[in-house]
Amino acid sequence: MVLEEIGVPIVLAPLAGGPSTPELTAAVAKAGGFPFLASGYLSAAETARRIAATRALTDRPFGVNLFVPGTPSGADLGPYAERLGPEAAEPRWEDDDWAAKLDLLRGDPPAVVSFTFGCPERTILASMPCETWVTVTNEAEARLAVAAGADVLVVQGAEAGGHRGSFGDTDDSPTGLLALLQVVRTVVDVPLVATGGIATREAVAAVLALGASAAAAGTAFLLCPEAGTSEVHRRAIGTDAPTALTRAFTGRLARGIRNRFMAEHDAHAPSAYPEIHHMTAPLRAAAREAGDPDVVNLWAGQAHELARDVPAAQVVRALTPR
């Protein structure tokens, strides 16, 4: 079991969409933690390239995270497209190169393959020649994932930045991490990794005391020089700006720092992922290029103001309980 072999009980969350890099993954691995390399939004070919780049930087174990595809939403996106304006792209559904990525990781497995946005069928989990971890956000998901054969559950609380890892896009009132961890611990008998708002060694100690085997942090690493976080995103992290849950940017519930785009569009955004993600992609790319924080998805957890611009190894040390 990977969690029994790592030097410290710190897991680097996947951080899909830009911040995840081979350099960040390798740095956390070298510091004794267990890092994930994100494959979300990437092709299987690009995922393979990044795996190779990570292995060139470290011989320590790491994991790769996959998005479990849903189904086309069927929502009428015309009204939302009108609100976004002529610069928005056409809505498009795709499965994030799911089958090709599964084949890639079966043939060249990392230490762990983790799954977000759902739990694959038992046959898929059983076919992976490595440990399988599944992100869960409530008791029912935890039971389903264990029944399907997941080796480890990543228990995601409401405080977490970025997308909710829930099996369906329905958890508008998510449960906080400490409450959720206590509930899940009573209904399953597999190792748990706690995530959501982890920014200090005291928070790590708290989740370990509640039965977690490790704590996963994502926002705490966004300012590290090894991370691929955009400059406009970096400027927002570390401030005391409030966060909120929104579907405005991608059509799936995610936590980010509040800005004008969220205020103008959140109430009108239907649940339609990844269709809305593709619609808003050119708007967000242009805003990042222009340094405009009001049209960028500034994903961040509720303790984002505690993030520091220091090397990843220093973050790992700061999070590790004495």
Side-chain angles (χ1 to χ4, degrees), residues 39-262:
S39 78
Y41 309 117
L42 304 178
S43 66
E46 176 61 16
T47 299
R49 188 195 70 77
R50 296 194 184 197
I51 290 172
T54 303
R55 287 180 172 148
L57 295 170
T58 181
D59 59 1
R60 298 276 300 171
F62 63 92
V64 175
N65 176 256
L66 300 184
F67 288 170
V68 179
T71 57
S73 69
D76 178 9
L77 298 179
Y80 197 62
E82 291 181 9
R83 291 189 61 86
L84 293 176
E87 301 304 315
E90 290 295 316
R92 175 168 62 87
W93 185 90
E94 40 84 25
D95 68 358
D96 208 45
D97 216 7
W98 170 248
K101 288 178 183 176
L102 287 176
D103 287 343
L104 167 69
L105 298 174
R106 289 188 187 107
D108 186 19
V112 174
V113 173
S114 70
F115 300 91
T116 301
F117 301 161
C119 181
E121 299 174 359
R122 170 179 282 276
T123 55
I124 292 177
L125 292 182
S127 73
M128 304 308 298
C130 59
E131 285 185 30
T132 55
W133 297 13
V134 174
T135 301
V136 301
T137 62
N138 57 48
E139 177 184 342
E141 290 175 355
R143 291 182 185 274
L144 287 170
V146 171
D151 296 306
V152 173
L153 302 185
V154 179
V155 180
Q156 185 193 50
E159 305 90 339
H163 282 107
R164 302 289 302 146
S166 49
F167 292 8
D169 185 36
T170 58
D171 61 340
D172 294 278
S173 298
T175 303
L177 177 59
L178 296 186
L180 180 61
L181 188 59
Q182 293 174 80
V183 171
V184 171
R185 177 71 281 168
T186 66
V187 300
V188 300
D189 190 24
V190 299
L192 307 179
V193 173
T195 190
I198 303 290
T200 63
R201 61 168 50 98
E202 291 80 9
V204 175
V207 298
L208 296 180
L210 288 175
S213 297
T219 304
F221 290 95
L222 287 179
L223 297 183
C224 295
E226 301 94 337
T229 314
S230 69
E231 288 304 314
V232 68
H233 197 174
R234 286 177 182 271
R235 290 197 297 271
I237 300 295
T239 71
D240 62 357
T243 67
L245 292 167
T246 184
R247 292 186 176 88
F249 292 104
T250 69
R252 198 180 222 284
L253 206 63
R255 182 175 296 282
I257 294 171
R258 291 177 180 170
N259 59 10
R260 189 183 73 242
F261 192 93
M262 290 169 64

